[in-house]
């Protein structure tokens, strides 16, 4: 009996704050706050990378080299574990190529940046030409957009190739920084939209308990002021 009384001592109207809608909404708001903080850090890193494009290029190439090196080590360990399978030698060859590429990129990041810049420019040029020719041949409803995309790709490739290899000092870093900037802004926008959605779907009775407790003295004071003239 004592246990039942203790369990029900809060009364029939008591709500468990640990699992109530208000507590869940507060947790979601905190999670979205951390998401917005991460997005702001990424966006700030993207802005700094755009300003210091040369440093961003060197950093991104070193990061790329270490990722290749770590991927090669993991692939080699996986190949050793599956040495009885038919794909053993293929895994060893792929891991060896990743290791070799990682060592080269880490030792000569400037040369790797030049090669990667050339490869990116050729990709832009090829994609732009295909879009231009395809839009002129097909003449679909999105012809203007496709023509614009193709012309932009060709123009970007020509600008990069015209100043190569000096363009390799800032092209990779600029692309990497722009990706960080847009990813960060996307995370911030997602967090802001999520908080607005939570505020819209959360009923008045399921608000944050701290906010409700903060509003109670104001309500009591207003009631006292209304009753004082009477």
């Amino acid at each position: 009996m004592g246990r039942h009384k203790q369990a029900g001592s809060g009364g029939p109207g008591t709500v468990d704050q640990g699992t109530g809608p208000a507590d869940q909404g507060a947790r979601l708001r905190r999670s979205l706050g951390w998401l917005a903080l991460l997005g702001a850090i990424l966006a700030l890193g993207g802005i700094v990378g755009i300003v210091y494009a040369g440093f961003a290029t060197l950093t991104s190439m070193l990061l790329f080299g270490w990722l290749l090196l770590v991927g090669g080590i993991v692939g080699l360990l996986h190949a050793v574990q599956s040495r009885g399978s038919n794909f053993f030698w293929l895994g060893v060859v792929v891991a060896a190529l990743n290791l070799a590429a990682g060592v080269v990129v880490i030792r000569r990041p400037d040369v790797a940046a030049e090669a990667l810049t050339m490869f990116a420019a050729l990709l832009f040029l090829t994609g732009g030409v295909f879009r231009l020719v395809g839009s002129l041949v097909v003449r679909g409803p999105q012809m203007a957009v496709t023509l614009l995309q193709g012309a932009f790709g060709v123009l970007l490739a020509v600008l990069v190739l015209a100043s190569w290899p000096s363009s390799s000092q800032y092209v990779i870093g600029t692309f990497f920084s722009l990706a960080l900037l847009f990813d960060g802004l996307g995370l911030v926008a997602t967090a802001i939209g999520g908080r607005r959605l939570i505020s819209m779907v959360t009923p008045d009775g399921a608000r944050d308990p701290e906010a409700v407790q903060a509003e109670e003295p104001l309500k009591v004071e207003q009631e006292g002021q209304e009753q004082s003239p009477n």
Side-chain angles (χ1 to χ4, degrees):
M1 295 293 292
R3 293 181 180 178
H4 291 294
K5 289 181 180 180
Q6 291 178 0
S9 58
T14 303
V15 179
D16 188 5
Q17 299 295 334
T19 59
D23 187 72
Q24 294 177 0
R27 290 179 181 178
L28 287 175
R29 290 188 182 93
R30 285 194 295 268
S31 300
L32 291 173
W34 286 109
L35 185 65
L37 178 61
L38 176 60
I41 293 174
L42 291 179
L44 180 61
I47 295 174
V48 173
I50 293 174
V51 176
Y52 300 98
F55 179 75
T57 298
L58 180 62
T59 304
S60 60
M61 294 311 301
L62 290 176
L63 178 61
F64 180 61
W66 280 108
L67 288 176
L68 287 175
L69 194 61
V70 173
I73 294 174
V74 173
L76 185 60
L77 293 176
H78 181 70
V80 170
Q81 291 179 355
S82 60
R83 56 184 176 273
S85 63
N86 297 327
F87 301 97
F88 169 72
W89 289 109
L90 179 61
V92 171
V93 171
V94 173
L97 290 176
N98 286 332
L99 289 172
V103 171
V104 170
V105 172
I106 292 173
R107 289 176 61 89
R108 298 296 303 273
D110 52 345
V111 177
E114 293 177 1
L116 192 58
T117 301
M118 173 65 74
F119 180 71
L122 292 177
L123 282 180
F124 286 136
L125 182 61
T126 305
V129 170
F130 271 104
R131 284 191 177 94
L132 288 175
V133 175
S135 61
L136 293 175
V137 172
V138 177
R139 296 181 182 273
Q142 302 295 330
M143 178 181 175
V145 177
T146 308
L147 278 174
L148 183 61
Q149 291 177 350
F152 180 76
V154 172
L155 179 61
L156 183 60
V158 170
L159 291 176
V160 172
L161 292 175
S163 58
W164 188 87
S166 61
S167 61
S168 62
Q169 298 177 2
Y170 58 87
V171 169
I172 303 299
T174 302
F175 288 166
F176 182 72
S177 301
L178 287 174
L180 285 180
L181 178 61
F182 288 124
D183 288 342
L185 293 177
L187 291 179
V188 172
T190 301
I192 294 175
R195 291 178 70 90
R196 289 180 179 177
L197 183 62
I198 291 174
S199 62
M200 290 174 60
V201 301
T202 302
D204 294 336
R207 291 180 297 175
D208 193 352
E210 296 180 358
V212 175
Q213 292 177 2
E215 291 178 359
E216 286 181 355
L218 297 176
K219 292 182 179 180
V220 172
E221 184 178 356
Q222 292 177 358
E223 292 178 357
Q225 293 177 358
E226 292 177 356
Q227 293 177 359
S228 57
N230 298 329

